[in-house]
Amino acid sequence: MPKVSADYLAARREHILSAAAARFSRDGFHRTSMQDIIDEAGLSAGAVYRYFRGKDEIIAAISLDAAGAVAAIVRGALETRRPAAEVVAALPSAL
């Protein structure tokens, strides 16, 4: 079996997270099952479970990505001394 690149693995992981976020947004966390996420991603169950053991891990990964995006905006604002109002206004687009 050919080995896949780290970029491919990262892109596949992001694809799963994007699919899960879309489904969560549409149906909510509680009404979305792993099978819903698998269907939304258009992948096999094995492909999704290779990256995440379950829905809780997917939620945690989405949350960590969002926290990282917020942190990047705040760091950038501190470095450029942007006004707090501009920083707060930029946060929703990061999420």
Side-chain angles (χ1 to χ4, degrees), residues 6 12 24 27 34 36 39 43 50 53-54 59 63-64 80 87 90-91 94:
R12 177 60 62 95
F24 291 150
D27 299 337
M34 278 301 289
D36 294 331
D39 293 344
L43 300 171
R50 176 179 185 188
R53 285 185 281 190
I59 293 168
S63 299
L64 288 172
T80 60
V87 176
L91 293 178

Side-chain angles (χ1 to χ4, degrees), residues 75-84 86-87:
R75 269 194 305 277
L78 290 172
E79 291 170 1
T80 60
R81 299 181 181 263
R82 285 176 51 201
E86 285 182 26
V87 176

Side-chain angles (χ1 to χ4, degrees), residues 42-81:
L43 300 171
S44 69
V48 174
Y49 281 107
R50 176 179 185 188
Y51 295 88
F52 303 99
R53 285 185 281 190
K55 188 168 81 168
D56 289 343
E57 279 191 9
I58 292 172
I59 293 168
I62 290 170
S63 299
L64 288 172
D65 287 351
V70 169
I73 288 173
V74 171
R75 269 194 305 277
L78 290 172
E79 291 170 1
T80 60
R81 299 181 181 263

Side-chain angles (χ1 to χ4, degrees), residues 27-47:
D27 299 337
F29 290 120
H30 297 294
R31 291 194 334 212
T32 299
S33 67
M34 278 301 289
Q35 188 60 53
D36 294 331
I37 295 167
I38 292 163
D39 293 344
E40 187 80 20
L43 300 171
S44 69

